[in-house]
């Protein structure tokens, strides 16, 4: 997941903000030494039978907990585990098992749980100071699969480190921590070891999926337990680290009628061989400047939606002012936790991001934290996504070789693209999938739902399926929940789309 208005992925560390962060965390960890954590180590978990804002008992089995992944720094990853709701698989070993995590910048996996593939949704109503309400999502992927949602990398959501150094992670170390997380989690939950195991993520996190899957496959080959029953992986509008992820925005914007033929031709002529995010050639730079202005006119995560104009956030809680520019300003009334420093700007009601806004008030409410078993003093302020305030190193150059390696060894892969995303467009994804050069097994065709095309798909002999989701945005299930649920449930149960 990423914020819908940005066009860049985890930014380079801003040293001034990072220094401030170190100071805050240092002060914070000294404070913490006087706090007794509820428990430490890999064993803390609880069954959650009801959630604040959700009417009645939860109609699905939810467990939350922490797993320690870095002893030196006291790093613990927080998870939400939703057991499969399918009749046959309920609690058993036969339902598939999906590990899911979210992209950047350090977005909480709560995004996956409450906006994309999980069993809860916010009731969309204007925030008035009361706890936002939740409802059940009938298109939850947990209808057919267990889902282990994990806040990763450390610093995302409720995952935390006791030492500031623990937050200094990157693609490789975050993947190693997820690997450690899996080993410890399955040691404590051996009954799920027999389930067909899959790893999934979208956007930036899609870059880590095949890398992590390869680590798991190496354990299996070496006979290192606990032995997971790895079957494959899925990635949605994924980053690979290759330039095609970003460069394909140009032909995509051209095809959608956002840029002119002339600008398209100018960019092709002057940006050949250039890195589009950091071009050296002056004419290319100029043309891409015009390009960026034009695409800023649309919501890049789903080009058909309105762009959201945000009200300015207030500097302090409890202030009640009108903006000097005439815009109304956020009023916070019932925040009960610590000092909240990053209240999100309020989008207009009806904007796609309004649900994100509600999550801040829900997750920072003491009742929610008590229900989820959040450790006191661990994360004072929950934010849906970070904004370059924590260090992260993009140290995995390309995920392509892991895609090739895994799918040549019998693992299944589903690569899907919401076809109205301009952040990681389907054109770029289709191009790298094709470049793996495996023979076509099931040629390009429509796949259907309710007698209508729901997207288009092609499968290759290496068990890799590429599929588009008609009308889907960057995080496709957020925009097209029924189509994505149909796609996922067919694929995970080994049926053709
Ligand atoms: C806010 O709205 C909800 C739902 O409409 C209502 O139940 C609640 O009483 C309202 N809270 C306040 C503080 O007005
Ligand atoms: C944790 O702490 C140790 C020792 O301070 C350090 O070497 C290591 O890199 C840290 N781990 C991470 C993930 O930063
Ligand atoms: C492919 O995977 C196998 C088994 O995990 C591993 O031994 C090999 O080094 C990998 N090859 C590449 C090119 O990464
Ligand atoms: C494709 O996946 C199926 C189901 O897991 C498996 O039985 C088959 O061997 C795989 N095919 C190849 C070519 O690896």
């Amino acid at each position: 997941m990423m914020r819908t208005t940005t066009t860049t992925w985890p930014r380079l560390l801003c040293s001034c903000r990072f220094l401030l962060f170190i100071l805050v965390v240092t002060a914070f960890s000294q404070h913490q030494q006087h706090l007794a954590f509820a428990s430490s180590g890999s064993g803390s978990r609880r069954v959650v039978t009801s959630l604040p804002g959700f009417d009645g008992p939860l109609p699905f089995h939810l467990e939350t907990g922490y797993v320690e992944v870095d002893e030196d720094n006291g790093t613990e990853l927080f998870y939400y585990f939703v057991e499969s709701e399918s009749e046959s698989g309920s609690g058993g070993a036969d339902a598939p098992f999906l590990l899911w995590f979210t992209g950047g910048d350090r977005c909480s996996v709560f995004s996956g749980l409450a906006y994309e593939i999980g069993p809860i949704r916010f009731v969309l109503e204007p925030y008035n100071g009361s706890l936002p309400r939740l409802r059940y999502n009938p298109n939850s992927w947990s209808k057919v699969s267990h889902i282990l949602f994990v806040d990763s990398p450390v610093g995302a959501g409720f995952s935390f480190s006791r030492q500031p150094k623990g937050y200094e992670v990157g693609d490789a170390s975050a993947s190693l921590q997820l690997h450690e997380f899996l080993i410890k989690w399955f040691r404590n939950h051996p009954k799920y070891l027999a389930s067909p195991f899959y790893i999934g993520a979208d956007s930036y996190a899609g870059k880590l999926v095949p890398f992590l899957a390869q680590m798991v496959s190496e354990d299996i080959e070496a006979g290192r337990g606990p032995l997971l029953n790895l079957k494959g992986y899925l990635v949605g509008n994924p980053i690979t680290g290759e330039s095609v992820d970003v460069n394909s925005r140009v032909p995509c914007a051209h095809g959608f009628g956002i840029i002119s033929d002339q600008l398209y031709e100018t960019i092709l002529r002057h940006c050949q061989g250039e890195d589009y995010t950091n071009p050296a050639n002056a004419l290319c730079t100029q043309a891409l400047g015009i390009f960026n202005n034009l695409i800023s006119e649309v919501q890049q995560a789903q080009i058909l939606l309105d762009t959201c104009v945000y009200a300015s956030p207030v500097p302090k809680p409890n202030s009640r002012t009108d903006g000097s520019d005439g815009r109304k300003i956020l009023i916070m009334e019932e925040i009960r936790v610590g000092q909240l420093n990053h209240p999100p700007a309020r989008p207009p009601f009806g904007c796609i991001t309004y649900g994100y806004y509600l999550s801040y008030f829900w997750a920072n409410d003491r009742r929610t934290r008590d229900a989820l078993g959040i450790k006191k003093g661990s994360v004072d302020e929950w934010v849906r996504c970070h904004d370059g305030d924590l260090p992260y190193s993009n140290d995995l150059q390309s995920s392509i070789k892991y895609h090739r390696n895994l799918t040549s060894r019998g693992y299944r892969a589903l690569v899907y693209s919401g076809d109205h995303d301009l952040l990681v467009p389907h054109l770029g994804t289709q191009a790298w999938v094709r470049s793996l050069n495996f023979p076509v097994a099931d040629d390009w065709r429509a796949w259907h739902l309710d007698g209508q095309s729901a997207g288009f798909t092609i499968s290759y002999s290496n068990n890799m399926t590429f599929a588009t989701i008609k009308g889907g945005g960057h995080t496709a299930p957020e925009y097209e929940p029924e189509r994505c649920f149909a796609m996922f449930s067919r694929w995970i149960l080994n049926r053709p789309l």
Side-chain angles (χ1 to χ4, degrees):
M1 280 285 304
M2 61 179 48
R3 294 179 314 133
T4 47
T5 47
T6 53
T7 54
T8 52
W9 285 280
R11 259 142 286 195
L12 291 175
L13 150 72
C14 162
S15 53
C16 42
R17 288 184 79 174
F18 179 54
L19 274 180
L20 179 65
F21 160 76
I22 291 288
L23 291 174
V24 171
V25 175
T26 307
F28 176 52
S29 33
Q30 280 160 1
H31 163 66
Q32 272 181 4
Q33 283 159 10
H34 305 288
L35 282 173
F37 276 78
S39 64
S40 68
S42 55
S44 59
R45 51 166 150 159
R46 69 160 61 185
V47 172
V48 180
T49 54
S50 66
L51 281 176
F54 194 100
D55 210 14
L58 295 179
F60 51 90
H61 178 85
L62 173 67
E63 178 193 307
T64 60
Y66 294 88
V67 173
E68 188 177 67
V69 292
D70 172 2
E71 247 178 79
D72 293 343
N73 299 292
T75 298
E76 298 187 22
L77 300 186
F78 181 74
Y79 68 85
Y80 307 80
F81 173 58
V82 180
E83 202 165 70
S84 167
E85 298 164 64
S86 78
E87 295 285 303
S88 59
S90 183
D94 49 346
F97 190 110
L98 176 64
L99 173 79
W100 189 268
F101 51 104
T102 297
D105 176 12
R106 267 188 170 89
C107 294
S108 170
V109 78
F110 186 73
S111 289
L113 182 75
Y115 308 111
E116 297 182 52
I117 66 168
I120 57 171
R121 286 287 177 275
F122 281 100
V123 176
L124 292 175
E125 53 194 5
Y127 178 65
N128 65 0
S130 290
L131 189 73
R133 294 191 298 145
L134 297 169
R135 64 173 176 83
Y136 179 68
N137 169 29
N139 293 301
S140 176
W141 292 10
S142 56
K143 282 253 172 84
V144 290
S145 158
H146 306 298
I147 313 178
L148 179 53
F149 293 96
V150 55
D151 269 332
S152 170
V154 54
F158 286 121
S159 291
F160 69 96
S161 170
R162 288 178 174 77
Q163 298 300 327
K165 268 215 153 304
Y167 290 99
E168 293 174 38
V169 293
D171 294 336
S173 49
S175 303
L176 283 166
Q177 291 191 344
L178 277 167
H179 179 242
E180 180 75 7
F181 171 89
L182 277 176
I183 290 171
K184 289 186 170 165
W185 194 90
F186 275 98
R187 271 200 196 120
N188 282 324
H189 300 79
K191 83 166 174 173
Y192 301 105
L193 275 173
S195 296
F197 179 70
Y198 292 87
I199 301 175
D202 51 22
S203 187
Y204 190 81
K207 189 176 160 201
L208 307 192
V209 167
F211 183 57
L212 177 60
Q214 171 136 337
M215 281 192 244
V216 174
S217 81
E218 283 165 8
D219 287 343
I220 294 168
E221 276 172 24
R224 277 190 299 265
L227 288 181
L228 277 63
N229 185 13
L230 179 69
K231 290 292 180 200
Y233 63 90
L234 62 156
V235 285
N237 294 72
I239 287 290
T240 62
E242 300 284 345
S243 57
V244 74
D245 300 339
V246 172
N247 292 11
S248 61
R249 291 173 186 170
V250 171
C252 193
H254 180 234
F256 277 130
I258 297 168
I259 65 168
S260 67
D261 292 349
Q262 292 90 322
L263 181 61
Y264 178 60
E265 286 159 14
T266 304
I267 295 173
L268 288 197
R269 193 174 323 123
H270 295 294
C271 299
Q272 217 170 19
E274 291 276 352
D275 171 2
Y276 282 23
T277 46
N278 196 12
N281 172 318
L283 289 171
C284 171
T285 307
Q286 190 190 17
L288 288 176
I290 301 169
F291 174 82
N292 286 330
N293 282 338
L294 285 166
I295 64 172
S296 73
E297 295 283 342
V298 300
Q299 172 80 275
Q300 289 166 46
Q302 212 298 3
I303 62 160
L304 298 182
L305 295 184
D306 289 346
T307 55
C308 299
V309 180
Y310 292 86
S312 340
V314 280
K316 282 190 229 96
N318 299 322
S319 64
R320 185 184 281 275
T321 351
D322 286 321
S324 51
D325 54 358
R327 286 182 300 182
K328 287 215 183 86
I329 271 179
L330 169 67
I331 294 158
M332 293 199 299
E333 279 157 9
E334 216 178 292
I335 295 300
R336 296 158 183 227
V337 187
Q339 188 65 35
L340 298 180
N341 301 313
H342 307 89
R346 184 174 49 78
F349 185 66
C351 174
I352 182 80
T353 55
Y354 201 85
Y356 302 168
Y357 173 70
L358 293 176
S359 68
Y360 180 82
F361 304 103
W362 186 81
N364 284 312
D365 191 286
R366 184 167 298 132
R367 290 165 287 186
T368 300
R369 285 161 175 255
D370 287 347
L372 295 176
I374 302 307
K375 294 187 178 183
K376 297 249 182 328
S378 61
V379 174
D380 263 2
E381 183 186 34
W382 181 95
V383 289
R384 196 185 67 87
C385 293
H386 281 264
D387 196 7
D389 58 334
L390 293 175
Y392 190 85
S393 134
N394 309 90
D395 48 23
L396 197 66
Q397 277 202 343
S398 167
S399 64
I400 298 295
K401 64 179 175 193
Y402 306 108
H403 285 291
R404 177 178 285 113
N405 198 359
L406 286 160
T407 58
S408 354
R409 290 186 292 125
Y411 293 108
R412 307 175 63 223
L414 172 64
V415 181
Y416 64 87
S417 288
D419 68 3
H420 280 63
D421 175 27
L422 205 53
L423 292 169
V424 185
H426 61 92
L427 284 179
T429 306
Q430 192 191 150
W432 70 253
V433 168
R434 184 178 171 201
S435 77
L436 296 177
N437 224 4
F438 286 96
V440 173
D442 182 7
D443 212 346
W444 189 272
R445 61 170 173 85
W447 63 276
H448 298 92
L449 182 64
D450 298 332
Q452 294 289 326
S453 65
F456 295 83
T457 182
I458 183 169
S459 293
Y460 294 89
S461 67
N462 59 340
N463 262 344
M464 180 177 270
T465 295
F466 171 74
T468 64
I469 293 110
K470 204 171 76 176
H474 184 58
T475 45
E478 186 165 355
Y479 304 92
E480 288 295 337
E482 289 171 25
R483 287 173 180 161
C484 287
F485 174 67
M487 171 191 72
F488 174 74
S489 50
R490 289 173 201 174
W491 182 78
I492 202 88
L493 299 173
N494 287 305
R495 297 181 191 136
L497 294 195

